Amino acid sequence: MKIYTRTGDDGTTSLSGGRRVPKYHTRVEAYGSLDELISWIGLLRSCPVNDSRDKILVYIQNQLMICAAILSADTDSGKARELKPDPKCALRLESEIDIMEKKLPVLRNFILPGGNIFVSYCDIARCVCRRAERSVLKLNQTEKMPLIICKFLNRLSDYLFMLSRQISLDLDIKVITWPK
């Protein structure tokens, strides 16, 4: 099977189920942002500082793949109704956040992103996650999406923020705060 089909040369793409939509469609924007986020999480997985976090990062990627599959399926398709993220995916992230929070100093100011390339990867992944969340919320205005997707993305951005702080602590990176 060839990777190219030429069917998208007219600026449209197929949803899972066959319906064709413009490549700039709200649904395509939403699952495209998730696709980008999955890749950023993959980059985080490749960082040596995250060797011990590989299992949770793979879990996150798997949940994001399920969410992207739901978004890419035509709402009328039976496939869209069959796919479901782990109902406890947000709780799993909360548990991971709680573990990190116990080790981190109390936060009293905003933090300027950066300080280390691995921290910066987290910061960028968090921004992409927030964009993906906004895209899904926008799509939800016209085509109802499972609430768990938005909840998971909201919690994931929190997780990525905490992960950037944890990596800074692990690597003894000086965190620069933004004064009030």
Side-chain angles (χ1 to χ4, degrees):
M1 181 175 133
K2 293 189 178 203
I3 190 66
Y4 57 88
T5 61
R6 298 186 178 123
T7 57
D9 293 350
D10 65 354
T12 64
T13 190
S14 288
L15 298 178
S16 176
R19 180 169 58 121
R20 296 202 63 83
V21 296
K23 289 183 178 182
Y24 56 81
H25 190 278
T26 312
R27 184 179 287 272
V28 179
E29 286 290 335
Y31 72 72
S33 290
L34 284 180
D35 187 33
E36 182 181 355
L37 181 55
I38 293 163
S39 294
W40 277 105
I41 301 298
L43 181 62
L44 288 173
R45 280 185 48 227
S46 71
C47 299
V49 70
N50 287 325
D51 285 347
S52 65
R53 298 178 188 98
D54 189 68
K55 188 174 180 177
I56 186 65
L57 293 172
V58 168
Y59 172 81
I60 289 167
Q61 283 184 302
N62 280 319
Q63 295 309 302
L64 289 170
M65 288 292 288
I66 293 167
C67 293
I70 291 167
L71 295 177
S72 68
D74 192 347
T75 310
D76 299 330
S77 165
K79 291 179 186 176
R81 290 185 293 275
E82 293 171 15
L83 295 168
K84 301 239 184 309
D86 176 2
K88 295 183 180 177
C89 59
L91 290 173
R92 176 126 185 233
L93 292 180
E94 287 175 10
S95 175
E96 294 291 326
I97 290 167
D98 291 345
I99 291 167
M100 288 186 277
E101 200 162 33
K102 289 176 184 172
K103 301 175 193 172
L104 294 167
V106 175
L107 188 61
R108 298 193 189 325
N109 295 78
F110 288 108
I111 296 173
L112 293 179
N116 173 280
I117 195 160
F118 303 133
V119 172
S120 295
Y121 291 157
C122 283
D123 294 331
I124 294 167
R126 178 184 47 79
C127 292
V128 171
C129 185
R130 285 288 188 206
R131 178 172 21 97
E133 181 185 14
R134 289 189 306 271
S135 295
V136 172
L137 288 168
K138 185 176 182 180
L139 174 62
N140 196 48
Q141 293 299 304
T142 56
E143 302 180 56
K144 292 299 174 203
M145 294 293 120
L147 179 63
I148 189 69
I149 294 175
C150 295
K151 187 175 181 180
F152 179 66
L153 291 172
N154 188 36
R155 211 64 82 253
L156 180 55
S157 64
D158 295 336
Y159 171 83
L160 292 167
F161 174 72
M162 295 300 286
L163 181 58
S164 72
R165 292 187 64 214
Q166 183 65 56
I167 292 172
S168 291
L169 182 69
D170 292 348
L171 299 178
D172 198 27
I173 305 298
K174 183 180 184 314
V175 174
I176 299 173
T177 58
W178 187 62
K180 292 180 184 178

